[in-house]
Amino acid sequence: MPAYQFQRQADVLDKYDMLITTEQEILLKYQGFFLIPPIIGREDIKLLYRYLSQRFDDMTSEVRKRKRENFVKEIRVSKNTFPDWNMDTIIGRSHDGQMSYHTFDQDKVYICRIASDQESAVFIYKLDETVLFLRKRMKKMVYVSYCPGNQDAFVFFDMVSDVLNEMI
């Protein structure tokens, strides 16, 4: 961005996540700009690519972190909390809508319910004692509720994938 244009539109600092300039004057006054020469060579392009890749990775990890904070809730469950001690009482959800499940490792189960009558969320239940599910003793449950109208499915289930990968 040339200095004369930046002086007229100083509000661009808030509009963009990454800013590139050929003006040293702008770089010295404002952090967040990346300086490139007026005539770009092959090495400059490689350096710019590395910079943009790093910024993109940083932004992506920040977005993932915020999504996780908004959607993932960890809950410790004991027999005192649920005296009946079965899957329905622990999850506490009705079974209408589309429901699927998958067991993994020796003692973990992933349950996903897709229905429009709920908020999208991920609940990680850590059980003090095992609970029987499909003739297996489960110690952890990941219950995912997804409302198709609320979030982008790809972004939401990418975050769910991260949660499941951390558990393996």
Side-chain angles (χ1 to χ4, degrees):
M1 171 177 282
Y4 68 88
Q5 185 179 9
F6 179 70
Q7 290 168 351
R8 283 187 287 151
Q9 298 176 344
D11 63 335
V12 297
L13 291 173
D14 298 329
K15 289 182 181 177
Y16 301 101
D17 295 317
M18 294 181 238
L19 300 165
I20 302 169
T21 186
T22 58
E23 305 285 339
Q24 289 183 8
E25 175 187 340
I26 293 175
L27 183 69
L28 295 173
K29 287 183 180 179
Y30 302 97
Q31 291 182 345
F33 277 89
F34 184 79
L35 182 67
I36 59 171
I39 300 173
I40 298 177
R42 180 173 250 122
E43 289 302 314
D44 298 319
I45 291 173
K46 288 179 183 178
L47 184 63
L48 180 59
Y49 174 78
R50 283 194 301 272
Y51 169 75
L52 292 175
S53 293
Q54 183 60 47
R55 290 282 295 152
F56 180 77
D57 290 345
D58 292 346
M59 290 169 42
T60 302
S61 66
E62 183 61 33
V63 167
R64 286 177 183 258
K65 182 180 173 185
R66 279 196 310 256
K67 289 260 185 224
R68 186 175 175 104
E69 289 171 356
N70 290 339
F71 290 108
V72 178
K73 297 162 187 68
E74 291 193 25
I75 302 168
R76 178 158 295 288
V77 179
S78 69
K79 201 158 191 149
N80 296 337
T81 311
F82 296 103
D84 295 340
W85 203 250
N86 65 45
M87 199 63 77
D88 292 333
T89 55
I90 293 171
I91 295 173
R93 311 281 193 277
S94 63
H95 295 295
D96 48 336
Q98 297 176 359
M99 177 91 73
S100 64
Y101 54 85
H102 177 73
T103 60
F104 60 102
D105 287 347
Q106 292 290 338
D107 60 351
K108 297 175 183 96
V109 62
Y110 163 76
I111 301 171
C112 181
R113 179 172 176 261
I114 299 174
S116 58
D117 66 341
Q118 64 189 3
E119 290 296 317
S120 296
V122 177
F123 299 95
I124 301 171
Y125 292 100
K126 295 179 179 181
L127 309 175
D128 287 344
E129 296 180 33
T130 60
V131 64
L132 198 59
F133 183 75
L134 298 175
R135 292 185 229 145
K136 292 182 180 180
R137 298 220 165 261
M138 297 297 145
K139 196 75 171 150
K140 269 190 181 178
M141 288 185 285
V142 178
Y143 180 83
V144 175
S145 62
Y146 176 70
C147 179
N150 289 352
Q151 270 74 39
D152 177 17
F154 177 78
V155 172
F156 181 78
F157 283 103
D158 186 47
M159 186 248 330
V160 171
S161 174
D162 289 344
V163 169
L164 293 173
N165 281 327
E166 289 172 8
M167 294 179 72
I168 294 177

